[in-house]
Structures are given as structure tokens and as C-alpha cells.
Amino acid sequence: MSSEPQIQENKMGVMPVKSLIISMSLPMMISMLVQALYNIVDSIFVAQLSEDALTAVTLAFPLQTLMIALGSGTGVGINALLSRSLGEKEFDRANDAANTGILLNAFNYLAFLFIGIFIVKPFITSQTDNAVIAGYGVTYLHYICILSFGLFFQMTFERLLQSTGRTFESMISQITGAVINIILDPLLIFGIGFFPKLGVAGAAIATVFGQSFAACLGLFMNVKRNKEITLSFKGIKSPKTDTIKQIYLVGVPSILMMSIGSVMTYLFNKILNTFSSTAVAVFGAYFKLQSFFFLPVFGLNNGMIPVLSYNYGARKKDRIMQALRFSLMFALTIMLLGTVVFEAIPGILLKLFDASDNMIIIGTPALRIIAVHFPIASVCIVLGSVFQAFAKSHYSLVVSLGRQLVVLIPAAWLLSLLGNINYVWFAFPIAEIVSLTITLIYFRRIKKNIIDTLD
């Protein structure tokens, strides 16, 4: 490793804050928008097979969320430790974080290889008695889980690029994988040209192929372009216990926080299934559509974490507060736009999924009711980045637990007892108000005990 990166100040410590947030976040927001577009296009193609196929993919979503939770949560821990180490000029510790993170996500893959072989079928059949839907779901998840090595290593290598401020390279990796998915989806689902007609299996294969290609590209860019860290087989094979501890001090709460989302969607699917499988399909369509607004905000969140971590390590309070104020306005603008779109054209949005008349009747009020909580969620997401950047991810865990399991699911269940599915959707804004209250309490504590002491 050359000594130059050790002498020069990283841009996260000196670049004007607004320009820094845009330069760090915009590439990830663009890549997240592409990912959101892929999610929507993927479901559009699946929905053209049948409503049962869309329902099956919705039932598979909780296990996919759990997979992403492990990979992304580990990545959050890597990101926070690596960026903080660079801010403190601890370059050996930064290298340890990078190499250990690769090893940890290799173990994550092995766990989902096991799940793909033994757990997928009972997981799907626990949610539906419909043999056609179950068959679609099992087929889809077998491929997604057994070939999930691409997903885990894609997330790892993208996090390494983000941690050192190379968000453009991270964007290229994500966009390339998503574009490959979009291209392969219709070819493999419908058997266009010389490609075989694989149906739901084709959607899964397109997904894992895109993820694997993106992982290879991410590895290449880390080796060739990311000069602030050094990847080595020796570092991967010889992890330090303290490094693993520091990664998971931040990572485990994030993993649990996102895993709660997996449990929530599983239980919400079961509540909706008491009304109809069409209600489950509506929920799946909503999740794909909301990602077009939520994922860019999460991209902003991902861009903020290394900035906050670096300036926390460098004890630069003013830059931390500037980053927070600007990011809050940015996220709120995105989410207000999302609310307007969902309120104005819910029927058009649902028609993207070849929605039946019954799906339109159920889905139109659903989208309008749920969208009320988008602006509130934007504040929670941005302030939650502070918890992750300052190694207080257990705060995020408490917020997520309160929102999704303590409030959302019980509220949805109680409202379902009224016999009108429209009432069930009100559980989302109710839960988000509780989430905002807890988030503000924790943020005030961090500002007083950590941020204000950096003077």
C-alpha cells in the first residue's frame, strides 16, 4: 500500500458538506432507483404469468428480506468500522475490517445454502394451502437461496467501496447487476429467442445471475481502484476476534432490525390471507412500488453513514450537523413526492402488475392509506443513520421492533377483526407515528451525550 492515502485527508473530512452528501449519496440513490425499477419490472413480468405467481413471489419475500438483512447488516458493521478507522488514521484496522467482512459474508452464504435445501418448502407451505402458489414459491426460493453467494458478495464489495467514498464505483456495480436482471427476466420467464421458457424459475435465475456478475465487478473495482484498503487471502483467513466483535457490535442490531422486517412481512401475509390471496398480491405490489421512493432514501442513508462515521472519528461536530440538516430536507422531499404519486394515481400503479378488477378495488384504498406515512418515515430513516454511524445500532433495533412487531402487526390483526380489509392498512401510519416518537427520543440522547461533546 502506498503512503499517499495515509498523508492526504479523505474528502469526507474536507469537502463542503452539501456537495459531499450529494457526491456520496447520489450514485447510490441512482443505483437504488435502478434497483427499484428492477423490482417493479421483475414483478410486472411475473404478474403476466398469473396473479398466483405474483402472490407466490410475495410469500417468498420475507425469506429474501432475511437474506438481505444478514448481508446488509454485516455490511453496515463493516462500513462503520472501516470509515471510522480511516477517520482516525488507523489503516491496519481498516484493512482488517474489509477482509474480515468478506469472510463473514461467506459464512452467511453457507447458512442460506442450508436454508435453500431444507427450509424453503415448509416456509412457503406455512403461508398458503394453494398448491399452485406453493409450487411457484418453492421453485423461486430454491434458486434464490442456493445461489445466493452473488448477493452476499455483491453487498460486501459495494460496502467496501462506499466506506472509502467511492460511491460511483458502487453505483456501477449495482446498476450493472440490475440491468442484467432486467434484460434476462423476460428472456428466461417467457422463453424469448433461443432461451428456455422457465416461468418463475427464470425470474429467480435472472436475479442470481445479475447479483453474481455485480459481485465479480465489485471485487475487480476494489482491487484496482480502492487504494485505501488492501484485500488479501491472508487477511481473510486470519480474522481478528476484536475486528469481528466491532463489526457485529454495529452489525447485529442492524441484522436484527432488518430481520424484524422479515417477520413482519411473514405475519402480515398471514393476516391478509384470511381475506384473500388477492390481498396478499396487493401487499406485494405495494412493496415493489414503495421501493421506488424508499430505496433512494436508503441510498441517501448509506451515503450518510460513512460521512457521519468519518467526521465522528475526526471530531467535527459542525460537519455532522450540516450533513443531518441537509439530508433531512432531501429525504423529506423524496417522500412527499411519493405520497403525492400514491394518492393521485393508485389505479394506474396497480395496472402495471396486470391487476384484476378485484385487485384494483382492494389496492386503490390500500395505497392511499399507507402512503400517508411516507414523510414520517423519511425522518426516521435519516435520524436512524446517526444510530448506525455512532455504533448505537441497538437504538435502531428498538425503533424497528416497536414499529413492526409491537405496534404494526398487533394493530393490523386487531383492525382485521373488524372484517373490512381497508382498516388493516391504517396499521402503517399508526406504527410510523410510534416509530417517530421513539426515534426523536433516542436522537436527542445521542446529540446531548455524543455530538455536543465533540466541541
Side-chain angles (χ1 to χ4, degrees):
M1 181 188 299
S2 68
S3 60
E4 183 179 354
Q6 300 184 30
I7 297 172
Q8 294 182 346
E9 178 78 18
N10 188 284
K11 69 177 182 179
M12 289 186 284
V14 297
M15 189 174 180
V17 170
K18 291 183 180 180
S19 300
L20 176 62
I21 292 294
I22 292 174
S23 70
M24 289 288 290
S25 300
L26 192 58
M28 280 186 279
M29 293 174 71
I30 292 172
S31 63
M32 291 277 191
L33 278 170
V34 174
Q35 187 67 38
L37 178 62
Y38 161 69
N39 288 339
I40 293 173
V41 171
D42 184 48
S43 292
I44 288 173
F45 288 133
V46 169
Q48 289 179 18
L49 292 173
S50 68
E51 187 177 291
D52 285 345
L54 179 60
T55 302
V57 172
T58 303
L59 297 181
F61 188 69
L63 200 53
Q64 286 182 281
T65 303
L66 182 61
M67 189 186 308
I68 294 170
L70 273 175
S72 183
T74 302
V76 167
I78 299 167
N79 200 332
L81 177 59
L82 203 161
S83 296
R84 188 168 69 249
S85 298
L86 290 176
E88 296 169 348
K89 305 298 186 288
E90 295 284 347
F91 298 102
D92 287 340
R93 189 170 64 173
N95 288 332
D96 289 337
N99 288 294
T100 301
I102 294 173
L103 178 65
L104 294 176
N105 265 328
F107 285 124
N108 287 338
Y109 163 65
L110 293 177
F112 271 88
L113 175 63
F114 176 86
I115 290 172
I117 296 172
F118 298 106
I119 306 299
V120 160
K121 186 173 182 179
F123 172 78
I124 290 293
T125 55
S126 71
Q127 298 179 80
T128 181
D129 295 326
N130 186 310
V132 175
I133 294 175
Y136 282 142
V138 170
T139 298
Y140 182 80
L141 271 181
H142 268 312
Y143 285 102
I144 291 293
C145 292
I146 292 173
L147 300 177
S148 61
F149 51 82
L151 171 69
F152 286 111
F153 289 117
Q154 176 188 355
M155 286 191 287
T156 302
F157 295 133
E158 287 172 358
R159 285 289 186 174
L160 297 183
L161 292 167
Q162 294 166 14
S163 297
T164 56
R166 288 169 174 80
T167 52
F168 178 79
E169 287 85 350
S170 176
M171 177 189 72
I172 295 301
S173 173
Q174 268 195 321
I175 287 180
T176 301
V179 169
I180 288 173
N181 284 342
I182 292 171
I183 293 172
L184 288 180
D185 257 336
L187 300 178
L188 292 174
I189 292 174
F190 304 115
I192 297 173
F194 60 84
F195 289 91
K197 183 178 181 180
L198 300 177
V200 170
I205 293 170
T207 296
V208 297
F209 188 87
Q211 291 165 346
S212 299
F213 189 92
C216 293
L217 183 58
L219 174 60
F220 174 81
M221 288 191 291
N222 271 288
V223 172
K224 295 296 184 180
R225 302 288 297 275
N226 205 350
K227 301 303 182 183
E228 289 186 279
I229 58 173
T230 301
L231 303 182
S232 67
F233 285 111
K234 181 180 179 181
I236 294 172
K237 292 189 297 183
S238 306
K240 294 181 179 178
T241 303
D242 183 63
T243 302
I244 296 174
K245 179 181 176 181
Q246 291 299 316
I247 288 174
Y248 280 130
L249 180 66
V250 176
V252 166
S254 294
I255 290 169
L256 293 175
M257 178 180 64
M258 288 180 276
S259 298
I260 289 169
S262 176
V263 177
M264 181 277 289
T265 52
Y266 175 83
L267 294 175
F268 211 89
N269 283 339
K270 291 181 73 68
I271 291 171
L272 293 177
N273 215 22
T274 62
F275 290 94
S276 67
S277 62
T278 300
V280 177
V282 166
F283 188 48
Y286 157 71
F287 252 103
K288 301 297 182 179
L289 291 166
Q290 61 90 29
S291 68
F292 205 74
F293 299 97
F294 272 82
L295 285 181
V297 176
F298 282 119
L300 173 65
N301 181 65
N302 290 341
M304 285 179 62
I305 289 173
V307 173
L308 296 174
S309 294
Y310 186 98
N311 286 285
Y312 172 48
R315 302 188 65 82
K316 296 183 178 181
K317 173 186 173 181
D318 289 344
R319 292 179 63 79
I320 291 172
M321 294 307 299
Q322 288 177 49
L324 281 174
R325 285 191 291 268
F326 179 70
S327 298
L328 278 169
M329 293 304 300
F330 204 165
L332 187 59
T333 300
I334 294 172
M335 286 302 211
L336 284 172
L337 176 62
T339 299
V340 170
V341 171
F342 271 56
E343 297 294 338
I345 54 170
I348 294 175
L349 295 176
L350 291 168
K351 279 295 184 182
L352 294 173
F353 302 93
D354 201 25
S356 63
D357 291 341
N358 190 34
M359 189 171 172
I360 294 289
I361 292 172
I362 295 174
T364 296
L367 296 190
R368 285 177 169 158
I369 292 168
I370 296 174
V372 172
H373 87 279
F374 286 6
I376 305 173
S378 68
V379 177
C380 296
I381 293 169
V382 171
L383 295 184
S385 67
V386 178
F387 307 157
Q388 296 172 326
F390 293 176
K392 297 291 184 181
S393 288
H394 57 285
Y395 288 174
S396 295
L397 174 60
V398 173
V399 172
S400 185
L401 182 65
R403 178 178 64 246
Q404 299 188 78
L405 295 187
V406 177
V407 180
L408 179 63
I409 291 301
W413 177 72
L414 289 172
L415 292 168
S416 73
L417 299 180
L418 299 176
N420 186 334
I421 193 172
N422 289 337
Y423 295 146
V424 176
W425 311 117
F426 281 101
F428 283 93
I430 291 171
E432 205 62 54
I433 291 171
V434 174
S435 173
L436 177 63
T437 303
I438 301 172
T439 297
L440 290 174
I441 292 171
Y442 280 142
F443 176 73
R444 183 179 179 184
R445 182 181 301 176
I446 284 181
K447 187 176 185 302
K448 178 181 178 181
N449 297 333
I450 297 179
I451 298 176
D452 288 346
T453 65
L454 298 177
D455 289 326

